[in-house]
Amino acid sequence: MPTIHFEGNDFFCAEDESILECMTRHGVMIPSSCQSGACQTCMIRAIEGTPTPESQQGLKDTMKAQNYFLACVCKPTEDMTIGLSVISPRQTVKLLSRDVLNESVIRLRLEEPEDFSYKAGQFINLVRPYDELTRSYSLASIPGDGFLELQVKRVADGQMSNWLFDGLTVGEEIQFFGPAGDCFYIPGAAEQPLLLVGTGTGLAPLYGILRHVLAEGHTGPVHLFHASLAAAGLYLEEELRRLAEQHEQLRYIPCVLHGDVPEGGQQGHIADLPASMLGSLSGYRAFLCGDPPIVNALRQKCFMGGVAMQDIHADPFVFSPTQEN
Amino acid sequence: MSTVYEQLGGEAAINAAVDIFYRKVLADHYVNRFFEGVDMEKQAAKQKGFLTMVTGGPNNYTGKDMREGHKHLVKMGLNDAHFDHILCHLRSTLAELGVAQDLIDTVISVAESTRDDVLDR
């Protein structure tokens, strides 16, 4: 009789009983609806133990990779520890370097803690040690780089970004917890065409995903669209052009809404550009990062353009306004 | 007798059907305002539940669920004409997947049976 550990308590699961039924029987209410593995309302995460294959049917690959499963159709065969999310320990690391990438974006490199494990494209929550101010930033590095890289845009009146630009000094300590996020590349289907679209510092997670994709030997075409209002908002252009020269499957398309268009680039609304350049997007796997309204528009355009819902991975950034007046 | 759900090929087939069905719904300007601003992934999961139910797959949906889930849309003006559009998209989705006419009719009649619940009357 398997035991289910949940938030410090043990629950015995009867024979032929699903985890959802078991928890409900013990008075622990997990949100649920269809109770047949379709609606995904009862999705929960296995922190220890392996979810049954039936309980992961229909979930996105990125959710499966993080051991999410559907409690209503999981009849456990072994002891499991489950939770709504994984509680990650807080890490303290030094700032290794700070470089200017363009007039409003810097690159920070942080020490990578030992035994820290993440997937390129995930994000961490930075904590300012003296007042616990917390903001999320995507990782632009990939495991093996030996450091964690963030690309930070200065937000007008942004408390964290202005401190990262002007306050924090190299060698000083900063804290974070994480990683989190389900916008990442899972190796496999190496010939599948990939579409990476980012606005502003939406390039950060895409830069990590791109380098992961290339390191895995992905052979299908990879289209990277990086969009900004005007050319001055783009960054890492040289690096991305160099990568595109080295990898014939990679195409880098810098996009602007206004003004001069960089070489090989496009002008227009980024939500429209991928479909208008590439035609049908059927069969693509898409990674969409940046401002939420644009990411949501892209999500819909990609879906209508033929990308399967399961193959759309999105990370809409949320910018927190300042709290004080 | 096996269900339409089984004859279609079960869960994997329903996944494919959801993508086709949802695209048709979003492309239809007569009904797509009811789907503005919703989380596409959650919406797709709900549609999967709906397609699983109307094809006779494993589900626990009740009339009450259908009623509660659409009340806010009824307030926005959801009516029989919109419901007819959805049925039409369901019919053409199944036809596109090569489902036999008699099975389509069975599915449509199940979907039709939810009309009063969906429209909250």
Side-chain angles (χ1 to χ4, degrees), chain A residues 10 45-46 85 89 109 147 174 180 214 293 303 317:
Chain A
D10 288 352
R45 194 167 178 183
S85 60
R109 285 184 175 163
F147 52 79
I174 188 164
L214 296 174
F303 181 63
F317 289 1

Side-chain angles (χ1 to χ4, degrees), chain A residues 23-275:
Chain A
M23 301 307 279
T24 306
R25 181 165 60 83
H26 288 95
V28 179
M29 305 307 282
I30 295 174
S32 68
S33 180
C34 78
Q35 296 176 28
S36 51
C39 75
Q40 304 190 356
T41 305
C42 66
M43 186 156 63
I44 197 162
R45 194 167 178 183
I47 296 159
E48 278 169 39
T50 311
T52 60
E54 307 81 62
S55 70
Q56 292 191 305
Q57 216 173 56
L59 296 192
K60 282 175 98 156
D61 290 345
T62 47
M63 302 311 278
K64 288 182 195 169
Q66 297 176 88
N67 286 325
Y68 281 96
F69 67 98
L70 303 175
C72 70
V73 286
C74 184
K75 293 178 179 171
T77 52
E78 58 179 26
D79 290 358
M80 291 176 79
T81 302
I82 62 171
L84 298 174
S85 60
V86 172
I87 297 159
S88 56
R90 191 183 287 208
Q91 310 272 4
T92 301
V93 293
K94 284 196 175 88
L95 175 65
L96 299 174
S97 67
R98 172 170 45 216
D99 305 292
V100 174
L101 295 178
N102 72 16
E103 58 189 22
S104 63
V105 178
I106 51 170
R107 173 170 62 199
L108 300 181
R109 285 184 175 163
L110 308 172
E111 284 178 324
E112 180 172 353
E114 265 179 54
D115 298 329
F116 181 68
S117 154
Y118 71 101
K119 296 183 174 68
Q122 288 191 299
F123 64 87
I124 57 173
N125 293 304
L126 276 192
V127 182
R128 185 159 66 180
Y130 65 82
D131 65 354
E132 298 283 303
L133 179 75
T134 305
R135 293 286 184 272
S136 304
Y137 291 96
S138 291
L139 291 163
S141 48
I142 61 175
D145 277 344
F147 52 79
L148 301 178
E149 177 172 320
L150 313 176
Q151 296 166 1
V152 180
K153 183 180 169 64
R154 193 195 284 270
V155 179
D157 300 325
Q159 297 180 76
M160 183 66 101
S161 65
N162 280 297
W163 179 71
L164 293 173
F165 267 73
D166 308 321
L168 180 70
T169 55
V170 172
E172 200 178 328
E173 284 182 341
I174 188 164
Q175 297 178 325
F176 76 85
F177 55 92
D182 48 30
C183 185
F184 52 82
Y185 172 79
I186 291 182
E191 288 164 18
Q192 187 176 22
L194 304 183
L195 175 63
L196 282 60
V197 190
T199 63
T201 46
L203 180 62
L206 295 180
Y207 183 66
I209 291 167
L210 174 65
R211 289 177 58 228
H212 182 207
V213 161
L214 296 174
E216 287 289 337
H218 194 92
T219 54
V222 181
H223 302 272
L224 170 65
F225 290 79
H226 183 210
S228 183
L229 208 51
L234 299 170
Y235 61 91
L236 288 182
E237 265 186 273
E238 240 175 82
E239 163 76 9
L240 293 168
R241 286 184 197 283
R242 196 172 54 75
L243 277 178
E245 273 169 30
Q246 289 167 351
H247 300 273
E248 61 175 355
Q249 73 275 42
L250 171 62
R251 183 140 179 229
Y252 164 58
I253 306 116
C255 303
V256 295
L257 189 58
H258 299 293
D260 294 336
V261 181
E263 192 192 331
Q266 292 279 322
Q267 188 179 47
H269 289 284
I270 186 58
D272 302 325
L273 289 174

Side-chain angles (χ1 to χ4, degrees), chain B residues 16-112:
Chain B
V18 168
D19 274 12
I20 297 171
F21 177 64
Y22 193 10
R23 272 191 203 107
K24 287 182 190 296
V25 170
L26 284 178
D28 179 353
H29 291 286
Y30 194 74
V31 295
N32 63 11
R33 72 182 172 96
F34 295 107
F35 297 89
E36 267 169 31
V38 304
D39 183 311
M40 288 180 71
E41 275 185 44
K42 286 190 183 143
Q43 182 58 31
K46 283 182 189 158
Q47 295 192 3
K48 188 174 167 186
F50 173 69
L51 292 187
T52 303
M53 177 189 75
V54 294
T55 53
N59 77 92
N60 287 294
Y61 275 93
T62 64
K64 189 165 166 282
D65 293 330
M66 298 303 279
R67 192 174 288 271
E68 291 302 320
H70 293 90
K71 263 187 178 164
H72 64 294
L73 301 179
V74 174
K75 285 200 186 99
M76 283 169 66
L78 188 75
N79 63 32
D80 280 299
H82 302 117
F83 192 89
D84 291 340
H85 272 243
I86 300 298
L87 284 194
C88 176
H89 296 312
L90 177 58
R91 193 181 278 281
S92 63
T93 298
L94 296 169
E96 224 170 275
L97 289 168
V99 179
Q101 192 56 48
D102 58 327
L103 293 178
I104 294 180
D105 291 343
T106 307
V107 170
I108 294 294
S109 70
V110 176
E112 181 61 58

